[in-house]
Amino acid sequence: MEVIEDIIKILKTKQTFVLTTHIHADGDALGSLLALGLALLNNGKDVVMIHSEPVPENYRFLPGAEQVIMVQDLKEKEGFEVGIALDCTDLSRVGDAEQLLQKADCIINIDHHISNEYFGQINMVETEAAATGEMVCGLLVKGGFTITPDIATNLYTAIITDTGSFRHQNTTANCFRTAAYLLECGAAHSFIQHNLYEQRSLQNLRFMVNVLQTLSINENGQIAWMTITKDISTEADNNDSLIDYAKSLKGVEVGILFKELDSGEIKVSFRSKSYVDVNQLAAHFGGGGHERAAGCSIKGDLKEVKQLVIRKTEEYLAKRRAAE
Ligand SMILES: [Mn+2]
């Protein structure tokens, strides 16, 4: 039996579900979580949707977002028949919710990252899918679940955000087919665009100006990077597309964003334009992701981490030139 059919059977026959997604959730993570959660709730299931942090303010417009809770808000922490992780490469990515998932009788892993570690009893991993939301849509359709306007809005947001509004290289014909279908199901296109791209706070825009001022470029102009130091970091710094500015420069192949975290680690995000496999690059430092978008966290001094990462990226680019 196909994995997708196994999952549909479990969704239909089991009663209690705990759903979660990765820390620092983005539109795909939350949209997928909410879409599957709402579909199960609409079918009379007992569903708990968990995130290890409060839902980021910029995603609170998503239908059902107020139903996502944190582990500490949960009274009964055991007895779930099924645990589902969405958009997570490995179990540690779910943060606080990891123990909760491990206590479930069965873990289902639904994800599209090439670096996925197949941590579930059932693993639906489709690396050619642009978004986990695209996979969830396929799952719901195949299972005969009704895609309500609220579910459609969540899935449409997932696809919009993970494809950079259909600009990234991961955009396929299936993304457009799925998006078109979701619009037919009632996805609120204008409402989503407004909330994603027209609700920026002045503080956030000023933060972006500060980050853009840190833009640097290597000697041959193929690597550009920006740095979010603790002193320019603000609560309004939630911006997944900031790194795209580094990549947008003519001649640049790899864009990098360094962010100093309170934990003493440096969060490093990579984007590549057309040929560098940044999943491999991130994997070198213990991270992962996709070919054109990946990340990792490295312990250490900001200056040293930057040197290390930029040198490694230059090596990758040099290897590529040598191979040509
Ligand atoms: Mn994703």
Side-chain angles (χ1 to χ4, degrees):
M1 205 163 32
E2 256 193 284
V3 171
I4 190 164
E5 283 159 0
D6 285 346
I7 297 177
I8 289 165
K9 191 172 161 208
I10 290 171
L11 298 182
K12 300 224 157 171
T13 56
K14 302 294 179 185
Q15 183 59 32
T16 53
F17 296 84
V18 57
L19 272 58
T20 191
T21 187
H22 60 79
I23 48 170
H24 311 308
D26 53 22
D28 185 30
L30 290 163
S32 300
L33 172 75
L34 285 162
L36 187 55
L38 293 178
L40 288 168
L41 284 167
N42 291 344
N43 279 268
K45 306 292 180 176
D46 300 318
V47 181
V48 170
M49 292 183 273
I50 296 272
H51 184 39
S52 56
E53 301 153 318
V55 173
E57 187 149 354
N58 52 331
Y59 291 121
R60 284 190 204 151
F61 75 91
L62 290 172
E66 69 291 343
Q67 294 182 58
V68 177
I69 59 170
M70 302 215 292
V71 177
Q72 58 262 41
D73 302 326
L74 192 64
K75 287 178 203 90
E76 197 57 65
K77 292 190 168 54
E78 278 175 57
F80 294 102
E81 291 170 287
V82 187
I84 305 180
L86 293 137
D87 204 41
C88 297
T89 51
D90 60 275
L91 257 189
S92 70
R93 289 282 289 157
V94 307
D96 287 352
E98 183 175 349
Q99 278 195 330
L100 207 59
L101 272 197
Q102 274 172 338
K103 281 184 197 155
D105 301 340
C106 163
I107 295 178
I108 298 177
N109 160 22
I110 302 176
D111 184 35
H112 67 131
H113 292 89
I114 200 164
S115 55
N116 190 282
E117 292 183 2
Y118 289 76
F119 56 86
Q121 272 81 50
I122 298 178
N123 301 287
M124 181 181 176
V125 179
E126 293 177 4
T127 56
E128 67 285 2
T132 297
E134 194 183 333
M135 297 168 63
V136 171
C137 186
L139 184 67
L140 294 179
V141 169
K142 188 149 189 185
F145 292 89
T146 304
I147 303 208
T148 62
D150 280 356
I151 293 173
T153 290
N154 278 299
L155 293 175
Y156 191 80
T157 302
I159 292 169
I160 288 271
T161 51
D162 259 23
T163 59
S165 300
F166 307 110
R167 282 181 297 116
H168 298 334
Q169 233 183 35
N170 59 0
T171 305
T172 62
N174 194 55
C175 294
F176 285 107
R177 268 193 295 269
T178 308
Y181 174 69
L182 291 169
L183 287 174
E184 283 168 357
C185 292
H189 175 82
S190 301
F191 171 77
I192 295 167
Q193 296 299 322
H194 175 70
N195 278 285
L196 285 179
Y197 305 118
E198 295 169 348
Q199 287 284 77
R200 199 188 288 287
S201 67
L202 186 58
Q203 192 192 14
N204 179 264
L205 200 56
R206 291 209 164 115
F207 160 76
M208 283 183 67
V209 171
N210 286 334
V211 179
L212 283 171
Q213 274 170 344
T214 71
L215 184 70
S216 307
I217 188 158
N218 77 330
E219 225 169 275
N220 67 13
Q222 290 187 305
I223 308 170
W225 63 91
M226 296 183 293
T227 312
I228 305 175
T229 49
K230 274 187 200 164
D231 60 305
I232 60 170
S233 188
T234 72
E235 284 188 5
D237 71 359
N238 195 322
N239 195 306
D240 303 329
S241 60
L242 199 46
I243 188 172
D244 290 336
Y245 285 97
K247 198 187 74 169
S248 73
L249 275 171
K250 189 173 180 179
V252 164
E253 168 61 18
V254 182
I256 310 174
L257 183 65
F258 296 96
K259 185 179 176 187
E260 224 178 355
L261 301 178
D262 288 332
S263 61
E265 286 178 311
I266 312 297
K267 184 182 167 203
V268 188
S269 310
F270 298 96
R271 297 287 184 277
S272 63
K273 206 177 265 176
S274 55
Y275 59 86
V276 168
D277 183 349
V278 290
N279 172 57
Q280 269 185 38
L281 201 47
H284 180 81
F285 299 104
H290 308 284
E291 265 185 37
R292 297 284 165 265
C296 59
S297 288
I298 305 174
K299 254 207 152 32
D301 169 70
L302 177 63
K303 209 173 145 196
E304 285 167 19
V305 167
K306 280 168 79 169
Q307 275 180 353
L308 187 73
V309 168
I310 291 161
R311 205 176 305 138
K312 195 79 210 164
T313 309
E314 280 177 334
E315 268 176 45
Y316 264 74
L317 283 156
K319 242 191 264 170
R320 163 81 189 197
R321 277 196 298 276
E324 270 166 7

